[in-house]
Amino acid sequence: MRRRRSDELPQFVREVEPRAFRWRRRSWIYIGIFLLACWILYPRQPWYDDDSTPKTKGSKHAYSLYATDGATLCHALLLLDALARYGSKADRVLIYPKHWDLVISDSKDRDSQLLVMARDKYKAKLHPTTLLSVEGRTTDEWTGTWDKSVTKFMAFSLTSYDRVIALDSDITLLSSLDELFALPSTPIAMPRAYWYETLPQPLTSLLMVIKPDQDEFQRFREVVTGGGNPALVNAHKFDMELVNDRFEHSAMVLPHRPYALLTGEFRRSNHSAYLGNTFEAWDPDKVLKEAKLVHFSDWPLPKPWIMWPAQGLAEMQPDCGGSHEGTCAERVIWKHLYDDFRQRRKDICRLLSVPASDWHSIRGGAQSNATDGTTHQAPHTPGEADDHSDSSTERSVAHDA
């Protein structure tokens, strides 16, 4: 048998992938890893939608609301409801007296009902605390009305947030304010009280955009509770005066248009202070449409949670250019703002307005606190304020946020 030559034997060759193909697949793997690393390490920035409203991180930004009594608790709920309706993305913190609880004892326990509603329906972070107060620290007829308004400075203590918007309670919010979280870094930003005749006008504390700082909070607390400071007593200093003492020359100034519109503006005959010029035509509908919030201020008429005395309304309502007959846009808007507040207070809080005081005593100044105070007892409407609550919710207990 003839032996086969080597070139006649079967050739067993290991199939090897083309080198070019191996290089191409490995390269795609490397490219994919590189792109994944870039995506992970790329710094995240707030992004904007079509109307340039920043999408804020709820864990970094918050609205600060405060309650010192049953009335201001209700008004905080109205603001929580507005923020929810306007789609605000930020957290909401509700500061209130630490002796309050979330145990609903009966159908008339409105404070506990509203706290439960704030927590469960509006997802507010509850922050029980010892209220700040200038009670006994100032000799002023308004003590008892504004004495605890300095509690708004608690917003400086919310250091878990990069930025906090602190709001007064006697306002109607007309739009989300989330765009203010994107302001350049600053300790505080506030609008000016454009209605003051003296120049420069002071800053108004009805809206404060704050960078929380524990040292700053401690300084405010020491001024408020330092004990017997004659300068504070003699100067009649409340929250607005104290914040101007600290930030008058260093705050970032927000435009009062659209961030600080008074209801009283619709009663004025000269609107140049609000418009910021003397040539623009006054258009009440346009002004209301562009405003972000409205602050109720029509002294000596009561705030919206107190009913109008009939004679006071006749005297103080917008006069429609000097004609008390018929109506006008200013009067319609002005009355609607009050009616809307009262209706929401009834629908959300189940609280009716406080009965009107005697107009002559208010006009004469004998009952100053009767017009702006929040401690007056308001009648309750029938039914629970927290219809959505179940028995387990009603027996819950408050804890620190």
Side-chain angles (χ1 to χ4, degrees), residues 10-23:
Q11 300 297 312
F12 296 97
V13 179
R14 187 174 64 179
E15 295 291 334
V16 180
E17 296 176 351
R19 183 175 184 82
F21 177 77
R22 289 205 316 273
W23 181 89

Side-chain angles (χ1 to χ4, degrees), residues 167-276:
L167 296 173
D168 258 350
S169 62
D170 53 347
I171 67 172
T172 285
L173 197 60
L174 301 175
S175 175
S176 171
L177 305 174
D178 282 11
E179 72 275 5
L180 295 178
F181 292 120
L183 288 174
S185 179
T186 181
I188 192 168
M190 306 165 66
R192 291 201 179 276
Y194 73 90
W195 54 92
Y196 272 61
E197 295 182 359
T198 56
L199 296 176
Q201 289 125 336
L203 302 164
T204 174
S205 57
L206 66 88
L207 164 63
M208 301 187 296
V209 184
I210 291 170
K211 179 178 176 57
D213 184 288
Q214 193 64 34
D215 292 336
E216 200 69 70
F217 170 67
Q218 290 296 338
R219 281 191 285 269
F220 273 113
R221 185 160 66 176
E222 289 173 7
V223 171
V224 171
T225 64
N229 183 345
L232 177 60
V233 173
N234 296 331
H236 314 288
K237 292 188 176 183
F238 296 95
D239 55 293
M240 185 168 164
E241 289 77 17
L242 294 175
V243 80
N244 273 274
D245 285 350
R246 171 65 183 88
F247 293 110
E248 180 182 9
H249 302 295
S250 60
M252 176 185 290
V253 178
L254 298 176
H256 65 263
R257 183 182 181 185
Y259 292 110
L261 172 62
L262 296 190
T263 53
E265 190 63 35
F266 296 97
R267 297 171 44 246
R268 292 172 175 259
S269 57
N270 184 346
H271 304 282
S272 59
Y274 180 77
L275 296 175

Side-chain angles (χ1 to χ4, degrees), residues 348-362:
I348 296 173
C349 305
R350 302 291 186 182
L351 290 174
L352 300 177
S353 298
V354 177
S357 299
D358 178 69
W359 176 242
H360 293 290
S361 60
I362 295 175

Side-chain angles (χ1 to χ4, degrees), residues 275-286:
L275 296 175
N277 59 74
T278 58
F279 53 81
E280 184 176 352
W282 165 255
D283 184 339
D285 293 305
K286 175 185 175 183

Side-chain angles (χ1 to χ4, degrees), residues 16-42:
V16 180
E17 296 176 351
R19 183 175 184 82
F21 177 77
R22 289 205 316 273
W23 181 89
R24 188 179 304 113
R25 184 173 61 181
R26 186 177 304 161
S27 298
W28 279 114
I29 293 174
Y30 291 156
I31 291 173
I33 294 174
F34 174 76
L35 292 175
L36 178 62
C38 290
W39 182 83
I40 294 174
L41 297 177
Y42 188 77

Side-chain angles (χ1 to χ4, degrees), residues 380-398:
H380 292 187
T381 63
E384 298 280 341
D386 62 333
D387 294 333
H388 66 284
S389 299
D390 56 23
S391 58
S392 61
T393 299
E394 290 182 355
R395 303 308 301 172
S396 58
V397 179

Side-chain angles (χ1 to χ4, degrees), residues 66-70 72-73 95-97 100 131-132 148-149 151 374:
Y66 69 96
T68 60
D69 52 35
T72 51
L73 174 58
I95 299 168
Y96 64 95
W100 289 1
L131 299 182
L132 299 179
K148 294 183 177 65
S149 63
T151 297
T374 59

